[in-house]
Amino acid sequence: MTEQKVALIMGGGSGMGAAAARKLEQEGYRIAILSSSGKGEALAKELGGVGVTGSNQSIKDVKQVVDLTMETWGRIDALINSAGHGPRAPVLDISDEDWHQGMEVYFLSAVRSIRLVAPIMESQGGGAIVNISTTWAFEPSDVFPTSVVFRAGLAGFTKLFADAYAAKNVRMNNVLPGWIDSLPEVDERREGVPMARYGTVEEIADTVTFLLSEGAGYITGQNIRVDGGVSHSI
């Protein structure tokens, strides 16, 4: 058991999830990672933590990393949900199967871990959850159809959760990145950003870390844009 804070990063093998893991380790957190590639498990070991190679779409794998985290440190103070990429196609060409897959990737992947971790946080007196969403959740773009539909749903879930758990000192917020350098840069997209550049994964990690901190202790149920000023569809 440890009193040092513990962060569990779901989908932390690369990109924004991995950057968040590195930043939180620098801030003194113990790190646990679930990732579908071996990269997450390797990063966790590099950071002195624990990792599981598995899918956030599998309740068995999610439970495995939660159980491993608890067996190792006896607490979970921070949960970060970072999703992969779901199906993309013209909106009426998306099949039922692909809509269901989008729900798995962008919505249920977060709900599964929250369902397991929130009671742990409540029992230990508090905790904070951050879901990495997208700036287009509220102004949908046809570039990411399944993402915007189910991440809008995640925003609704987040508000319901925040209302239910705020008095229990368990907070949850969403970070809404715009164009981030984990994606290939496209001139047309960069030109649509008022700051005239892509954001960095480190900037997302800094925002995640703040929302998990005591400095954000009065923030819950919110959707925080980190997009260089983008406020319109692509």
Side-chain angles (χ1 to χ4, degrees), residues 42 63 89 104 109 139 149 163 189 202 205 218 223 230:
K63 188 174 187 303
E104 289 283 342
S109 62
E139 297 180 64
V149 166
D163 290 349
R189 293 173 178 175
E202 289 79 15
Y218 204 49
N223 296 278
V230 173

Side-chain angles (χ1 to χ4, degrees), residues 1 4 19 28 38 100 153 157 195 198 209 229:
M1 303 295 179
Q4 187 173 6
H100 282 289
F157 176 86
M195 292 187 74
Y198 273 43
T209 301

Side-chain angles (χ1 to χ4, degrees), residues 6-7 17 23 39 41 43 52 57 71 94 96 104 110 114 126-127 129 145 153 167 185 201 218 222 225 230 232:
V6 176
K23 176 66 176 181
K39 293 179 181 178
E41 192 169 351
L43 176 59
V52 169
Q57 297 173 43
E71 289 164 7
I94 301 171
D96 285 5
E104 289 283 342
I114 293 163
I129 301 167
E185 292 207 23
V201 294
Y218 204 49
Q222 303 304 307
R225 294 180 184 271
V230 173
H232 51 78

Side-chain angles (χ1 to χ4, degrees), residues 76 81 142 185 216 225:
I76 300 175
N81 286 303
D142 60 6
E185 292 207 23
R225 294 180 184 271

Side-chain angles (χ1 to χ4, degrees), residues 39 58 69 81 106 132 135 143 149 173 175 179 183 213 223:
K39 293 179 181 178
S58 163
T69 306
N81 286 303
Y106 296 116
I132 299 177
T135 196
V143 176
V149 166
N173 295 287
V175 170
W179 298 115
L183 295 169
S213 73
N223 296 278

Side-chain angles (χ1 to χ4, degrees), residues 135-146:
T135 196
W136 293 283
F138 301 107
E139 297 180 64
S141 162
D142 60 6
V143 176
F144 307 112
T146 59

